[in-house]
Amino acid sequence: MKTYEALVRTDTDPELSGLVERIRLLKERHHAIILAHNYQIGEVQDVADLIGDSLELARYAASTEADVIVFCGVHFMAETAKILNPSRKVLVPDLKAGCPMSDMITPEEVDRLRRENPGAVVVTYVNSPASVKAKSDICCTSANAVRIVSSIPEDKPVIFIPDQFLGDFVQRATGRKLVLFEGFCPTHMRIMATDIDRAREEHPEAFVIAHPECQPEVARKADVVSSTSRMATAVRENPARKVVVGTELGMIYRLQKENPDKEFIPACTSCDCANMKVNSLEKILWALEDMAPEIELPETILHNARKALDRMIEMS
Ligand code: 13P
Ligand code: SF4
């Protein structure tokens, strides 16, 4: 069975500590910081200056004084950092770290939805390309989607893109009907309601957490549905010794590290985002050596996408 242990190398590996030291020296030389999403492999999380969910990482990137941001996550997250702080150099260890959900939506689809829903406010989940954010009114993450949608006057129709399941979660939380797009996360899609039923049967005392990208039948069966960082808080605050984790497997590394006395059970052992796993210590080192690959965006996209992201940051 594949668990979080399979995703980390032992820290007794001398090659690993050599890499960590070389990264530290280059970080100092270039006045760089390393930001890592909660799903990154353990050794990448361990070398990061900040580990967080999309919102925390975006806020930190927006205000950092560092000259260089090495963003360990997926492409849209690094783009978000660049849009919010365009004078910084944003490096990604591997340009191939994309997000299939983000690739499901295009600027043309936004135009079509606006034509079909005149006067609607377009709320765009950050898991989207910069070109789509540039056509949106306001962005959101899983941590603030409910608050952002609630802030929109009741008489305004809302188009919510691209994640239909986060959209469904927001609909249930706000009681508002949204115009949804049919995007989804192929990784979270793998968790089935029967996985939660089985886990509850096997571990009746467990606390069950799930991400709002899960299918609604899964989300409805969880005790807490939240962003990845709020999951970490919920687990810390809940007395249960066993936790069933309904999200991407990388999350378990952070949870286990912060709660060594608790047992974490993946709701589904194939809930593994390959894109989140392409970053490594070697690639971080090479990025710092070469000052590449770098996120670059056309000026108009930077400018327009920033408006939608700034509105989100102001409300968070
Ligand atoms: P969070 O913002 O909750 O960390 O989620 C990001 C993501 O891509 C989940 O699949
Ligand atoms: Fe995208 Fe899903 Fe991977 Fe998150 S887990 S980066 S939404 S494919």
Side-chain angles (χ1 to χ4, degrees):
M1 186 179 87
K2 194 192 244 177
T3 64
Y4 76 98
E5 284 101 348
L7 305 171
V8 287
R9 277 185 277 174
T10 164
D11 57 8
T12 55
D13 183 344
E15 204 186 314
L16 190 78
S17 37
L19 276 172
V20 171
E21 179 58 10
R22 285 163 73 192
I23 289 169
R24 193 188 62 75
L25 290 172
L26 281 169
K27 248 178 44 171
E28 248 174 53
R29 185 188 306 163
H30 294 294
H31 194 211
I33 51 160
I34 300 175
L35 304 186
H37 186 263
N38 286 317
Y39 294 160
Q40 291 294 289
I41 60 171
E43 63 202 41
V44 170
Q45 292 195 27
D46 288 347
V47 89
D49 297 283
L50 179 82
I51 306 157
D53 66 12
S54 308
L55 182 62
E56 289 171 331
L57 297 172
R59 288 167 75 170
Y60 195 88
S63 60
T64 185
E65 302 272 302
D67 295 329
V68 178
I69 300 170
V70 182
F71 207 113
C72 302
V74 288
H75 193 264
F76 74 81
M77 295 177 178
E79 269 188 351
T80 300
K82 181 70 185 174
I83 296 163
L84 286 166
N85 207 341
S87 62
R88 313 295 154 181
K89 192 183 269 292
V90 178
L91 302 176
V92 286
D94 191 326
L95 268 176
K96 289 192 292 298
C99 166
M101 183 207 284
S102 170
D103 294 342
M104 289 175 190
I105 184 85
T106 61
E108 293 71 30
E109 286 294 327
V110 183
D111 290 340
R112 177 185 64 80
L113 287 161
R114 280 208 195 267
R115 273 196 308 275
E116 289 171 6
N117 301 276
V121 176
V122 177
V123 179
T124 300
Y125 187 29
V126 287
N127 298 35
S128 54
S131 56
V132 166
K133 292 184 177 81
K135 291 215 163 233
S136 308
D137 295 303
I138 186 162
C139 289
C140 72
T141 75
S142 62
N144 60 18
V146 171
R147 185 164 358 126
I148 300 270
V149 169
S150 303
S151 75
I152 299 166
E154 290 281 342
D155 59 335
K156 283 264 179 203
V158 174
I159 297 168
F160 190 93
I161 55 173
D163 185 8
Q164 60 182 302
F165 298 139
L166 177 61
D168 180 85
F169 174 75
V170 173
Q171 286 194 138
R172 279 183 286 123
T174 61
R176 283 180 77 155
K177 182 94 189 89
L178 309 177
V179 177
L180 298 178
F181 181 75
E182 58 277 12
F184 63 93
C185 164
T187 301
H188 284 87
M189 190 78 165
R190 293 183 191 162
I191 307 176
M192 297 293 160
T194 47
D195 290 323
I196 307 293
D197 292 340
R198 191 180 2 89
R200 285 226 189 256
E201 228 172 85
E202 286 172 14
H203 313 279
E205 71 283 37
F207 180 50
V208 180
I209 54 175
H211 197 273
E213 286 175 12
C214 290
Q215 301 178 63
E217 311 83 84
V218 172
R220 273 197 281 269
K221 286 176 184 278
D223 296 315
V224 165
V225 180
S226 73
S227 82
T228 53
S229 285
R230 286 212 194 137
M231 284 178 183
T233 310
V235 166
R236 220 169 20 247
E237 290 171 355
N238 192 283
R241 311 280 293 183
K242 278 189 181 183
V243 183
V244 173
V245 182
T247 193
E248 208 279 331
L249 291 175
M251 187 70 212
I252 298 181
Y253 180 77
R254 173 175 172 182
L255 293 174
Q256 188 72 78
K257 198 171 171 184
E258 290 179 355
N259 306 274
D261 55 333
K262 297 193 179 189
E263 185 188 343
F264 295 93
I265 302 128
C268 163
T269 52
S270 57
C271 187
D272 192 2
C273 176
N275 289 284
M276 281 283 183
K277 302 295 177 293
V278 299
N279 297 323
S280 64
L281 288 184
E282 287 85 348
K283 289 179 191 172
I284 294 173
L285 178 71
W286 300 332
L288 282 164
E289 282 175 346
D290 300 347
M291 287 289 114
E294 183 181 357
I295 297 285
E296 283 171 301
L297 289 163
E299 201 50 52
T300 45
I301 301 265
L302 267 178
H303 180 261
N304 293 334
R306 178 150 191 179
K307 286 194 258 176
L309 279 167
D310 275 347
R311 283 189 199 115
M312 172 186 89
I313 297 286
E314 277 160 28
M315 289 201 52
S316 303

